[in-house]
């Protein structure tokens, strides 16, 4: 009987070959951290009113004069905004990496799977029916909506017991379109709901204090721990369900844990900043180009890359129409739409 080797199978790298690669990956992660620190500094310094970096440093150290307008801007407005950008960007980046790994779909993200749309629909429904008016009240509605949307997209993607990545992307896109239409209908039905929800739905880091993080921190921590726990198993899932099962990976349980991680991370991010698109799609792809496909490195890379993308978009939104500003959700959508088109074209090839 004739046997043939897999045409793309490569011999495993030797220890000598792995050492330079590991050194390169460590260097890239270090450079990523340095770039993240630069983004944090720019986020604190730039805006409708630029603040010199020495003033920013004095404000952070508490040595600046309290009547200094620059110190007041940094401590009162930009520190909360920058911290929220750091947390939300990390959550979206990690959620996108786990979603793509668990579904074996390069187009998967909280946006394309309908998770963001589900969370948004639930929040707007709660604003309409329960007259909510504070972001801290949105958390559990966002979680419930994200979970239901994820389950619906997963159910539509099942085919003869297996998860079809193409059907998952199409089902998530259709679900997101339907939920977005229903969300718009609710907002049009109530002027109060429109006034309350429209600023949040655009996706923004402005006008929120650090108190909005308090109710979502447990969700973020649990979601991050789940994501880190399933990262090694996601490498096995990339080989296919049958191969992963042959390696002893409990595929069904890993997918449930990964799905829960995506829901918790995405719902917490949406509850804090609204539905921000494309960060969860772009960060894993950019990190995969630099760090490779190993999710044990890819996930930490996305925890760095996600905030870099979001903070960069936020700073650009402050500068392009200064002294006014564009909300960060508008900037990420504008920059991310061409990326989605390129990725979709590559996926069809």
């Amino acid at each position: 009987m004739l046997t043939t080797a897999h045409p793309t199978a490569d011999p495993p790298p030797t220890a000598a070959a792995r050492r330079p690669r590991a050194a390169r990956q460590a260097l890239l992660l270090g450079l990523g951290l340095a770039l993240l620190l630069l983004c944090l500094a720019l986020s604190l310094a730039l805006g409708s009113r630029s603040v010199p970096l020495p003033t920013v440093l004095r404000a952070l150290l508490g040595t600046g004069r309290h009547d200094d307008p620059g110190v007041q801007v940094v401590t009162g407005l930009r520190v909360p905004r920058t911290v929220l950008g750091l947390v939300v960007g990390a959550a979206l980046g990690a959620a996108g990496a786990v979603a793509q790994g668990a579904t074996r779909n390069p187009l998967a993200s909280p946006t394309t799977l309908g998770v963001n749309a589900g969370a948004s629909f639930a929040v707007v429904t709660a604003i309409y029916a329960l007259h909510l008016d504070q972001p801290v009240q949105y958390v559990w509605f966002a979680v419930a909506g994200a979970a239901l949307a994820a389950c619906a997209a997963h159910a539509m993607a099942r085919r003869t017991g297996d998860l079809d990545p193409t059907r998952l992307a199409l089902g998530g896109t259709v679900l997101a379109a339907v939920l977005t239409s229903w969300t718009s209908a609710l907002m049009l039905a109530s002027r109060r709901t429109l006034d309350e929800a429209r600023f949040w739905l655009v996706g923004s880091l402005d006008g929120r204090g650090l108190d909005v993080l308090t109710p979502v921190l447990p969700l973020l921590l649990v979601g991050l721990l789940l994501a880190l726990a399933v990262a090694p198993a996601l490498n096995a899932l990339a080989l296919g369900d049958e191969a992963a099962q042959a390696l002893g990976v409990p595929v069904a349980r890993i997918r449930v844990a990964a799905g829960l991680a995506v829901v918790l991370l995405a719902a917490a991010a949406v509850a804090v900043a609204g539905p921000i698109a494309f960060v969860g799609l772009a960060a894993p792809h950019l990190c995969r180009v630099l760090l490779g496909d190993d999710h044990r490195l890819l996930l930490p890379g996305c925890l760095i890359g996600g905030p870099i993308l979001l903070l960069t978009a936020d700073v650009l939104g402050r500068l392009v129409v200064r002294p006014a500003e564009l909300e960060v959700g508008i900037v990420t959508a504008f920059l991310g739409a061409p990326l989605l088109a390129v990725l979709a074209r590559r996926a069809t090839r």
Side-chain angles (χ1 to χ4, degrees):
M1 182 176 60
L2 297 177
T3 59
T4 57
H6 194 285
T8 60
D10 295 321
T14 63
R18 284 195 298 265
R19 282 194 292 269
R21 183 179 180 183
R24 174 179 172 274
Q25 291 168 333
L27 176 61
L28 288 173
L29 286 174
L31 291 175
L33 286 173
L35 182 58
L36 177 57
L37 290 176
L38 176 61
C39 291
L40 292 171
L42 293 177
S43 178
L44 293 171
L46 299 179
S48 58
R49 175 195 178 108
S50 296
V51 179
L53 287 178
T55 303
V56 171
L57 185 59
R58 287 195 296 270
L60 295 178
L61 296 176
T63 58
R65 299 196 318 271
H66 295 295
D67 58 347
D68 186 339
V71 172
Q72 294 174 351
V73 167
V74 171
T75 57
L77 298 176
R78 293 189 185 161
V79 167
R81 185 169 183 167
T82 301
V83 172
L84 291 179
L86 178 65
V87 173
V88 171
L92 292 176
V98 174
Q100 291 173 15
T103 62
R104 303 197 310 276
N105 189 331
L107 299 180
S109 73
T111 301
T112 57
L113 295 182
V115 173
N116 282 0
S120 301
F121 174 68
V123 168
V124 171
T125 301
I127 293 174
Y128 176 81
L130 303 177
H131 304 283
L132 304 185
D133 57 3
Q134 297 295 328
V136 295
Q137 300 171 325
Y138 302 161
V139 176
W140 298 113
F141 296 99
V143 173
L148 291 174
C151 291
H154 189 273
M156 287 188 287
R158 302 300 293 185
R159 185 175 184 180
T160 64
D162 295 326
L163 187 68
D164 188 324
T166 302
R167 289 167 63 93
L168 183 63
L170 292 175
T173 302
V174 171
L175 181 65
V178 172
L179 291 175
T180 300
S181 299
W182 289 351
T183 301
S184 300
L186 282 177
M187 294 173 65
L188 292 175
S190 168
R191 179 61 182 267
R192 184 194 61 81
T193 302
L194 175 63
D195 292 339
E196 192 65 44
R198 61 182 176 179
F199 179 71
W200 177 83
L201 280 173
V202 171
S204 175
L205 301 174
D206 189 25
R208 291 158 171 79
L210 292 178
D211 58 320
V212 299
L213 283 178
T214 304
V216 304
L217 278 178
L219 306 181
L220 290 169
L221 290 175
V222 173
L224 180 58
L225 290 175
L226 281 173
L228 293 172
V230 302
L234 294 180
N235 293 333
L237 283 183
L239 304 174
D241 289 2
E242 293 183 0
Q245 289 172 346
L247 293 172
V249 175
V251 173
R253 280 188 290 173
I254 291 299
R255 280 221 169 91
V256 170
L260 183 58
V262 172
V263 167
L264 291 176
L265 291 170
V270 171
V272 168
I276 296 176
F278 295 111
V279 174
L281 178 67
H285 281 278
L286 295 176
C287 292
R288 193 174 286 111
V289 170
L290 298 173
L291 299 172
D293 295 325
D294 188 345
H295 286 83
R296 294 171 297 181
L297 281 174
L298 183 62
L299 194 59
C302 290
L303 292 174
I304 299 172
I308 289 175
L309 292 176
L310 188 58
L311 289 172
T312 300
D314 189 40
V315 171
L316 287 175
R318 303 181 210 175
L319 298 180
V320 291
V321 291
R322 193 163 54 173
E325 67 177 58
L326 291 175
E327 305 301 338
V328 67
I330 298 175
V331 179
T332 58
F334 179 77
L335 297 177
L339 174 65
L340 180 60
V342 171
L343 293 176
R345 184 176 179 83
R346 290 181 60 185
T348 56
R349 287 180 176 176

